[in-house]
Amino acid sequence: MAQHFSLAACDVVGFDLDHTLCRYNLPESARLIYNSFAQFLVKEKGYDKELLTVTPEDWDFCCKGLALDLEDGNFIKLADNGTVLRASHGTKMLAPEVLAAEYGRKEWKHFTPDSGMACRSGKYYFYDNYFDLPGALLCARVVDSLTKQNNGQKPFDFWKDIVAGIQHNYKMSAFKENCGIYFPEIKRDPGRYLHTCPESVKKWLRQLKNAGKILMLITSSHSDYCRLLCEYILGNDFEYLFDIVITNALKPGFFSHLPSQRPFRTLENDEEQEALPSLDKPGWYSQGNAVHLYELLKKMTGKPEPKVVYFGDSMHSDIFPACHYSNWETVLILEELRGDRDGKPEDSEPLEKKGKYEGPKAKPLNRLSKKWGSFFIDSVSGLENTEDSLVYTWSCKRISAYSTIAIPSIEAIAELPLDYKFTSFSSNNSKTAGYYPNPPLVLSNDGKLTTK
């Protein structure tokens, strides 16, 4: 990989939608996602009503990069070498001596040295994006409740109910049928949950198009929800911006599956139609695979190896698979780079939304968690008479391994010239070179961990 990266050198620019092109008002969207699951568990599955009440302090539990062990109800934060840095049982953090007894300094039992370790399996679940994170708080509180009821008996068996809650709220027909809580509420008041794209970003998209770039939208959201989001954030004429729109892409499978496993489908009134043997022309499609897409991109560009860059916020669904399976350049949208520079009004939400919605302020999900510490780095207790040492987290290691660059938002680069040369992570194998405009504070402090 090159030491520098420039959009001008790319033939194709692809985007994820949720939390990439479309930014959410995180305190509001988190509460809505949490409620959509909590109501289902209480009303349909008979869980404790206490789950419905969340205090602003409760949100401190949320931190991207945590794994939930589905058998013992423990949440863990991993170091880059697979050892456990911190852990909780439900929401209760394990004391250092309990942590040492339970995990020691050995690799976590489900860890595999390859950073591409599956984020989801029957035994654990990694929380790696802002749609998932409210579920981490809910699951932790479910573990608290079940621990109380069962006198700490293991294994836990609540995950099937969480999956049923996902199906109820987010199944393909949920938007059309006004099923569950999430979609009806977004339709009712999109301005409460969504940020419109700044003019600078709209102008930048047009600039890319005018420079002859092929623009793509690849989202796992269904076509009806995608249309609502895009019309709200970009305007009713959003479709002219994109040569190719792919919805219900079922990432990461879009990148990892063979064409025969995941063919493209046409859409009619948001209903999926017959499978296509190949992708012959630009347009709006559903499902699909990166292999057939790349064949079309070769045809459209007239190049044997068109250069593609993909912007996304999820390491699991966007960045790792696009880099690993498709060898695309990748730009990670990392809102932790906003929350990291604590306290500025523009770090969390636009000024016009401040104070607009009532209720005590919860910690935005991209801000530092007191319980879990930094997303990027943590300290490991030294042996007797030795100092604590700082280590990178597993999440931080994956950023530099699979992202070309990482930015806090698209807005952060929208006013740069298209031929601006970004320093990429591959530059001298640096852990910090690819962060734009600046590395996280904890990584740029001469090796000393800053604490608040």
Side-chain angles (χ1 to χ4, degrees):
M1 282 171 78
Q3 301 228 337
H4 289 95
F5 164 74
S6 158
L7 284 166
C10 298
D11 304 296
V12 183
V13 186
F15 300 94
D16 171 46
L17 179 57
D18 297 284
H19 301 287
T20 299
L21 261 183
C22 176
R23 276 191 59 222
Y24 285 75
N25 181 10
L26 290 180
E28 292 293 334
S29 63
R31 210 171 325 175
L32 175 60
I33 293 165
Y34 180 95
N35 286 340
S36 69
F37 284 108
Q39 296 273 4
F40 177 81
L41 291 185
V42 172
K43 289 179 179 170
E44 304 296 326
K45 299 292 179 181
Y47 281 73
D48 194 322
K49 284 195 177 80
E50 279 184 17
L51 291 177
L52 300 175
T53 309
V54 191
T55 67
E57 295 71 39
D58 289 333
W59 291 104
D60 181 64
F61 185 82
C62 292
C63 175
K64 271 200 324 205
L66 301 182
L68 165 59
D69 187 317
L70 298 174
E71 290 173 333
D72 63 20
N74 284 5
F75 286 80
I76 59 163
K77 179 184 182 183
L78 288 174
D80 58 357
N81 64 0
T83 56
V84 177
L85 292 166
R86 304 189 192 202
S88 72
H89 181 67
T91 63
K92 312 290 184 289
M93 300 305 291
L94 300 191
E97 58 278 11
V98 180
L99 184 74
E102 189 139 344
Y103 295 105
R105 299 212 168 182
K106 57 185 188 295
E107 281 183 0
W108 181 48
K109 61 190 175 186
H110 299 304
F111 184 78
T112 54
D114 169 28
S115 291
M117 179 170 76
C119 273
R120 287 146 208 189
S121 85
K123 297 187 183 302
Y124 60 86
Y125 190 93
F126 271 98
Y127 290 90
D128 112 306
N129 63 68
Y130 293 127
F131 264 149
D132 280 352
L133 265 190
L137 174 59
L138 179 67
C139 287
R141 297 186 73 207
V142 165
V143 170
D144 290 347
S145 174
L146 294 176
T147 302
K148 216 187 294 178
Q149 288 170 29
N150 306 340
N151 298 321
Q153 261 185 319
K154 298 171 187 177
F156 289 92
D157 191 28
F158 61 86
W159 190 250
K160 64 183 188 308
D161 296 329
I162 299 292
V163 172
I166 295 170
Q167 177 62 12
H168 175 70
N169 279 286
Y170 300 103
K171 63 187 175 187
M172 198 165 181
S173 60
F175 185 92
K176 193 176 279 185
E177 294 168 1
N178 271 331
C179 188
I181 288 173
Y182 182 82
F183 290 129
E185 180 57 20
I186 296 267
K187 285 184 196 178
R188 189 187 68 79
D189 191 3
R192 179 170 190 158
Y193 303 102
L194 309 173
H195 295 317
T196 55
C197 268
E199 280 308 314
S200 61
V201 172
K202 294 179 190 174
K203 187 177 167 189
W204 178 76
L205 291 169
R206 290 193 294 271
Q207 198 185 347
L208 285 166
K209 199 159 177 66
N210 293 340
K213 311 299 177 193
I214 291 169
L215 296 194
M216 310 187 296
L217 190 60
I218 307 175
T219 173
S220 291
S221 287
H222 297 304
S223 54
D224 43 16
Y225 185 51
C226 169
R227 189 174 288 104
L228 177 140
L229 294 184
C230 288
E231 285 179 356
Y232 184 80
I233 67 166
L234 291 167
N236 292 343
D237 57 350
F238 76 91
E239 281 188 64
Y240 95 93
L241 285 170
F242 302 102
D243 300 277
I244 299 167
V245 176
I246 299 163
T247 49
N248 194 27
L250 303 169
K251 297 175 292 183
F254 179 87
F255 296 102
S256 61
H257 282 26
L258 297 169
S260 58
Q261 295 172 291
R262 193 65 65 72
F264 279 98
R265 294 177 181 274
T266 54
L267 283 161
E268 213 168 280
N269 298 324
D270 296 316
E271 299 286 340
E272 291 182 344
Q273 305 299 304
E274 77 285 351
L276 300 172
S278 62
L279 202 59
D280 298 325
K281 60 183 180 196
W284 190 317
Y285 299 95
S286 193
Q287 297 197 37
N289 60 86
V291 174
H292 278 169
L293 173 61
Y294 198 62
E295 290 303 315
L296 173 63
L297 296 175
K298 288 180 190 176
K299 202 177 358 175
M300 289 173 72
T301 58
K303 294 185 177 182
E305 290 186 352
K307 186 169 181 176
V308 184
V309 60
Y310 187 63
F311 288 70
D313 69 296
S314 168
M315 181 56 67
H316 169 66
S317 301
D318 301 319
I319 303 303
F320 168 72
C323 169
H324 182 74
Y325 296 107
S326 299
N327 203 27
W328 290 358
E329 300 284 0
T330 53
V331 178
L332 175 65
I333 304 294
L334 192 62
E335 290 206 36
E336 280 67 19
L337 292 175
R338 290 170 168 273
D340 180 67
R341 301 192 174 255
D342 226 4
K344 294 179 188 170
E346 67 270 25
D347 282 347
S348 55
E349 53 186 291
L351 286 170
E352 70 269 13
K353 290 211 172 167
K354 291 212 165 274
K356 188 171 173 186
Y357 299 107
E358 288 174 18
K361 281 300 261 185
K363 170 191 85 75
L365 298 190
N366 58 339
R367 292 284 170 87
L368 183 75
S369 159
K370 294 190 183 82
K371 273 194 158 116
W372 293 103
S374 170
F375 172 74
F376 303 97
I377 203 167
D378 214 335
S379 55
V380 175
S381 302
L383 301 169
E384 257 181 88
N385 303 323
T386 63
E387 282 187 20
D388 289 2
S389 56
L390 296 179
V391 295
Y392 291 108
T393 61
W394 184 65
S395 299
C396 185
K397 178 185 179 181
R398 299 181 88 209
I399 292 169
S400 56
Y402 297 111
S403 315
T404 306
I405 61 170
I407 60 178
S409 64
I410 291 175
E411 194 180 355
I413 65 166
E415 292 181 6
L416 297 173
L418 295 185
D419 60 358
Y420 181 88
K421 285 188 164 49
F422 296 92
T423 306
S424 67
F425 279 112
S426 58
S427 174
N428 307 321
N429 287 323
S430 167
K431 285 276 200 303
T432 58
Y435 291 107
Y436 178 88
N438 301 295
L441 288 173
V442 292
L443 299 186
S444 56
N445 205 42
D446 302 321
K448 293 174 190 159
L449 180 60
T450 57
T451 51
K452 294 254 175 203

